[in-house]
């Protein structure tokens, strides 16, 4: 009889990394760029799986470039983390996402996933409201760009 360890493993969260791309307008207001998911067109931040050979913050910066053409300065320490259920074709996968702040300096004229996603700038409050994942929305809403973090109460390990 085969061992049934697969069921136990599926409950263990898979690690993902994500970037919270932001910029400051001339009036000092902070804007956050959101991207849509490829399948359901829900608003999220650029995120993906760790990339072999890259540190977490470097992989987050790469995801922002691939998904939205963004180039900038990425923070080296996570500013938040959340857990969510990733939708797959026939099942869900529990994922824990580490988030890094990306201060956007430019957007490339073309990028790899340009035809697969939409990306737009929103005020911080609007971005938080539009994000479909409640924990991610709460992190974006509470984000203190100057302090580069979120309150400890919003971090779910």
């Amino acid at each position: 009889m085969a061992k049934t360890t697969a069921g136990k493993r599926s409950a263990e969260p898979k690690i993902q990394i994500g970037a919270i791309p932001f910029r400051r307008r001339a009036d000092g207001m902070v804007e956050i760029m959101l991207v849509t998911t490829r399948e359901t067109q829900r608003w999220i931040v650029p995120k993906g799986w760790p990339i072999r050979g890259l540190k977490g913050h470097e992989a987050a910066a790469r995801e922002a470039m691939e998904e939205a053409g963004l180039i900038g300065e990425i923070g080296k320490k996570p500013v938040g983390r959340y857990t969510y259920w990733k939708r797959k074709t026939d099942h869900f996968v529990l994922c824990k996402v580490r988030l890094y702040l990306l201060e956007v300096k430019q957007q490339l004229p073309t990028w790899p996933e340009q035809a697969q996603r939409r990306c737009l700038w929103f005020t911080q409050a609007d971005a938080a409201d539009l994000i479909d994942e409640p924990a991610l929305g709460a992190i974006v809403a509470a984000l203190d760009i100057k302090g580069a973090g979120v309150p400890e109460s919003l971090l779910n390990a």
Side-chain angles (χ1 to χ4, degrees):
M1 188 161 168
K3 291 184 181 179
T4 56
T5 57
K8 292 178 184 174
R9 283 193 189 132
S10 65
E12 293 175 14
K14 304 292 184 196
I15 300 299
Q16 288 193 313
I17 46 79
I20 300 176
F22 75 95
R23 69 181 181 189
R24 288 183 185 87
R25 297 191 319 208
D27 64 3
M29 177 75 81
V30 169
E31 292 182 315
I32 307 286
M33 179 171 277
L34 299 181
V35 299
T36 56
T37 60
R38 286 188 282 209
E39 300 294 321
T40 61
Q41 297 296 301
R42 293 173 300 118
W43 290 107
I44 59 167
V45 296
K47 64 181 172 53
W49 304 108
I51 301 170
R52 189 181 312 268
L54 295 183
K55 294 180 179 175
H57 67 282
E58 295 167 334
R62 167 98 47 98
E63 289 296 331
M65 187 281 296
E66 291 177 356
E67 295 183 13
L70 302 177
I71 304 294
E73 293 180 24
I74 190 88
K76 291 185 178 179
K77 293 187 177 181
V79 295
R81 59 188 178 272
Y82 73 101
T83 303
Y84 80 106
W85 288 97
K86 180 174 181 61
R87 300 174 191 186
K88 297 296 247 177
T89 308
D90 58 351
H91 66 286
F92 290 81
V93 177
L94 185 61
C95 295
K96 184 187 290 187
V97 183
R98 288 189 206 114
L99 298 166
Y100 299 85
L101 275 180
L102 174 69
E103 185 167 7
V104 176
K105 301 299 184 188
Q106 74 176 72
Q107 186 173 29
L108 300 172
T110 61
W111 57 89
E113 297 181 18
Q114 189 168 10
Q116 300 168 30
R117 303 175 186 272
R118 290 185 300 144
C119 56
L120 289 172
W121 289 104
F122 296 98
T123 64
Q124 187 172 351
D126 287 347
D129 287 343
L130 286 166
I131 292 170
D132 198 34
E133 297 292 341
L136 176 57
I139 288 170
V140 169
L143 191 62
D144 175 5
I145 299 293
K146 292 178 186 135
V150 296
E152 190 66 31
S153 63
L154 291 177
L155 301 179
N156 57 7

